[in-house]
Amino acid sequence: MKDWRALLDWTGILGIGVIAIGLVVGSAFTGWTAVPLSMLATGLALLVAWGITHRQEVGVFLGLRSTQTNANILVAVAAMAVILVLVNVVAVRYDLRLDLTEEGLFTLSPQTRQLVQGLVQPVKVWVVTTAPDPNLREQLERYRRLNPNRFQFEFVDPNRDPLTIQRLQVTQNNTLVVEAGESRQQLPQPPAPDLESKLTPVLSKVVNRGELLAYFVQGHGEVGLEAREGTPTLAQAAAALGQEGYRVEPLNLVQSGIPEDANVLVLAGPQRALFPGEVEKLQDYLAEGGRLLLLIGPRVDAGLDPLLEEWGVVLGDDIILEASSISQLLGTGPAVALVTDYGDHPITAPLAAQRLMTLFPLARSVETQAREGIQATPLLRTGPQSWGETSPELERGPLQFDPEQDKPGPLTLGVALTRRLDADPEQGSGSRQEARLVVIGNVNFALNGNLRQQGNRDLFLNTLNWLTEQTEQISIRPKSITDRRLTLTGQNFRWLVLGSTVLLPLAALGSGAALWWQRR
């Protein structure tokens, strides 16, 4: 009997050991299969057996004050553990994050969310690198969570998986490959905060469509497409179009006609009038369902009167001036028109939803007249504290509103127009059903330096995408990191060193000495 009693004395310790082994095996090795579960059941049975045979000792132990105190502590610790587990479960299931960066660098833009959630075919991003970046992995995981069934990513070490590297045709380390079906495109691996601004345009180009052609009319003093030192150009706008999947080409209407492969024409800031023959080519192009963007600044006669008259567009002979408190707060000056009021149109709907402002230095008003078969929608409207200045000599006198000559605000400076085409049975179903025209009384908003201000870039790109019917591309694009640097002069640096190494320690010693003197 004593032998059985001595054996039962060890069942408690043995049961605890078996339970511990079962927990380790189940959590770290085999998972919760039959083996660890049976070990847990066996250990629990041993503990129960020990408790039954040691009822008196258990009763005395439970009656101790220290036992009750320790039990309360154990229950509190267990409750805290359960709360932490539940918090982690909720955090994993519901990805709630707070992005405190000014540009929202760690929050996916509406364009990215719209693109990834609307994927119709599987897409995979291969990250070819020998040193995986955990921040980059986290950014890609945000993409994957938007559409786990269609978007996947994988890190590949070129030294360990040369066959995959050969299939992807990658020749350099730290390269991203976006693959969708037979379409594939590479890009250098960007820093994690810049991933969205680099990856989303490539992803859009791979999954949405092939290359579109945007022709910019030249030969009348229009703004150039290439970067030139000291000269405002559309180089940044052309680069942004390239990221959207467009190929930008110049076009001289005197030397050639409008190419058949033109998806859209842009006339940006002409300084001289077009020849009548050129205007006729534009009219014929629109009559066949063409797409045209006119960016015409103030005090310029572009010779487009026949075309504008046909479409019911009137360019104001004025310069929009701004006298609102917002203009004074931003310090932009009265000649920069500010727009926060947008028309009900796909081009400006994302801007209105995000409450983005657009800025137009030296703009003119644009009005419309009713024309049969043409639907006109105002896009951009200034505030009530703006007006259209008609005086030809702005530099000489004070800028004041003249009710007898000037146009009171709010003023429209951009319109979108459509015209349905007569159905032609000889043309296929894929032919265009309508012509589209957008007229904006300003070109400066799209120039280098102004394009990245507020919503200007999104307005320009959304306009081109609406003209070419790329509705899935109309959105607010990812933001890039703003370069912020603290520049110190030699004197500033010396004061910084003096303050941190001498003045602050002396202040601490002085305050300590003062407290000691008071308590002495």
Side-chain angles (χ1 to χ4, degrees):
M1 191 69 181
K2 291 183 178 180
D3 295 338
W4 282 103
R5 180 74 178 180
L7 181 62
L8 290 173
D9 288 342
W10 289 95
T11 55
I13 298 176
L14 182 61
I16 294 175
V18 173
I19 290 176
I21 295 174
L23 291 174
V24 171
V25 172
S27 60
F29 295 100
T30 64
W32 298 107
T33 59
V35 173
L37 292 177
S38 62
M39 296 177 69
L40 293 176
T42 302
L44 184 61
L46 291 172
L47 282 177
V48 172
W50 182 88
I52 293 174
T53 58
H54 295 77
R55 292 189 298 273
Q56 185 176 359
E57 291 87 341
V58 171
V60 173
F61 176 76
L62 294 178
L64 296 175
R65 181 181 297 274
S66 60
T67 302
Q68 297 176 1
T69 302
N70 292 332
N72 291 333
I73 295 175
L74 182 61
V75 170
V77 171
M80 180 59 67
V82 171
I83 292 174
L84 291 176
V85 170
L86 292 177
V87 168
N88 280 275
V89 169
V90 172
V92 171
R93 182 168 297 181
Y94 305 99
D95 184 30
L96 302 177
R97 298 170 181 266
L98 181 61
D99 187 354
L100 298 179
T101 59
E102 179 183 359
E103 296 86 359
L105 298 176
F106 298 100
T107 301
L108 295 179
S109 67
Q111 183 193 30
T112 299
R113 295 197 297 268
Q114 178 180 334
L115 176 63
V116 177
Q117 291 172 349
L119 290 175
V120 297
Q121 60 178 329
V123 174
K124 188 166 187 178
V125 176
W126 302 85
V127 184
V128 179
T129 178
T130 56
D133 183 357
N135 295 322
L136 187 69
R137 183 185 298 274
E138 184 178 355
Q139 286 284 73
L140 288 170
E141 182 63 25
R142 291 191 177 98
Y143 278 77
R144 191 196 66 80
R145 281 194 290 265
L146 291 174
N147 195 342
N149 297 326
R150 298 289 174 83
F151 185 93
Q152 297 294 328
F153 68 91
E154 183 176 342
F155 283 76
V156 182
D157 189 334
N159 298 326
R160 297 182 178 181
D161 195 355
L163 294 180
T164 301
I165 301 303
Q166 183 179 6
R167 184 184 70 82
L168 296 175
Q169 300 179 352
V170 177
T171 58
Q172 292 183 347
N173 189 31
N174 296 327
T175 300
L176 269 62
V177 181
V178 182
E179 188 176 36
E182 299 297 326
S183 180
R184 185 187 304 148
Q185 187 162 336
Q186 301 181 13
L187 70 153
Q189 177 180 325
D194 271 345
L195 175 68
E196 187 184 8
S197 62
K198 304 297 182 183
L199 177 60
T200 295
V202 174
L203 180 63
S204 174
K205 188 183 299 184
V206 169
V207 302
N208 279 337
R209 63 189 191 274
E211 198 171 48
L212 299 179
L213 281 171
Y215 285 93
F216 281 68
V217 178
Q218 302 287 295
H220 319 88
E222 291 86 355
V223 182
L225 298 174
E226 298 179 356
R228 297 177 183 176
E229 186 176 357
T231 302
T233 68
L234 292 170
Q236 292 180 356
L241 286 174
Q243 293 181 344
E244 293 279 304
Y246 291 84
R247 179 158 59 92
V248 176
E249 297 287 348
L251 175 65
N252 191 313
L253 293 176
V254 174
Q255 299 175 350
S256 63
I258 298 175
E260 295 183 358
D261 59 357
N263 298 105
V264 63
L265 291 185
V266 181
L267 180 62
Q271 299 301 309
R272 293 181 294 275
L274 278 69
F275 291 110
E278 295 177 289
V279 179
E280 291 179 4
K281 289 181 180 180
L282 295 178
Q283 290 179 281
D284 295 340
Y285 172 69
L286 289 173
E288 297 174 358
R291 312 297 165 87
L292 177 62
L293 171 60
L294 299 179
L295 305 177
I296 312 297
R299 309 291 167 83
V300 173
D301 180 11
L304 297 172
D305 290 347
L307 186 151
L308 298 176
E309 173 65 25
E310 178 184 354
W311 284 76
V313 177
V314 179
L315 297 178
D317 186 16
D318 56 7
I319 295 178
I320 298 178
L321 298 182
E322 188 74 45
S324 66
S325 58
I326 299 179
S327 175
Q328 298 173 6
L329 179 64
L330 296 177
T332 55
V336 179
L338 306 179
V339 173
T340 57
D341 183 13
Y342 300 101
D344 185 11
H345 194 274
I347 292 176
T348 53
L351 299 171
Q354 296 291 322
R355 297 182 179 180
L356 285 177
M357 181 187 303
T358 44
L359 294 80
F360 302 86
L362 294 177
R364 73 195 303 174
S365 62
V366 179
E367 300 175 355
T368 58
Q369 299 174 347
R371 291 291 186 273
E372 183 178 357
I374 294 178
Q375 181 178 357
T377 304
L379 295 178
L380 311 163
R381 289 188 290 264
T382 62
Q385 292 181 303
S386 63
W387 74 89
E389 180 65 46
T390 59
S391 173
E393 300 178 352
L394 293 179
E395 298 82 2
R396 294 188 178 181
L399 300 178
Q400 295 181 352
F401 174 67
D402 185 351
E404 296 183 358
Q405 297 182 358
D406 299 333
K407 299 178 182 178
L411 299 171
T412 299
L413 59 89
V415 295
L417 306 101
T418 59
R419 180 173 62 187
R420 299 291 298 178
L421 302 180
D422 296 333
D424 188 350
E426 295 182 359
Q427 294 183 350
S429 58
S431 61
R432 291 175 173 175
Q433 303 299 314
E434 66 179 12
R436 294 186 176 185
L437 171 66
V438 174
V439 183
I440 298 177
N442 181 261
V443 68
N444 295 327
F445 81 99
L447 300 184
N448 297 349
N450 294 331
L451 185 70
R452 297 177 181 176
Q453 296 292 328
Q454 297 293 320
N456 286 11
R457 178 171 177 263
D458 293 306
L459 172 64
F460 178 77
L461 296 177
N462 286 353
T463 300
L464 270 294
N465 285 325
W466 177 78
L467 287 170
T468 56
E469 298 187 54
Q470 305 301 315
T471 55
E472 72 283 350
Q473 291 288 92
I474 298 177
S475 186
I476 302 299
R477 279 122 194 110
K479 300 177 178 64
S480 301
I481 297 178
T482 301
D483 186 11
R484 300 187 184 277
R485 301 184 184 184
L486 178 62
T487 304
L488 297 177
T489 63
Q491 184 178 4
N492 295 143
F493 181 74
R494 288 190 293 271
W495 275 108
L496 180 62
V497 173
L498 180 63
S500 59
T501 60
V502 179
L503 298 181
L504 288 178
L506 286 178
L509 290 174
S511 60
L515 290 174
W516 173 81
W517 182 262
Q518 291 178 355
R519 296 176 180 178
R520 184 173 59 89

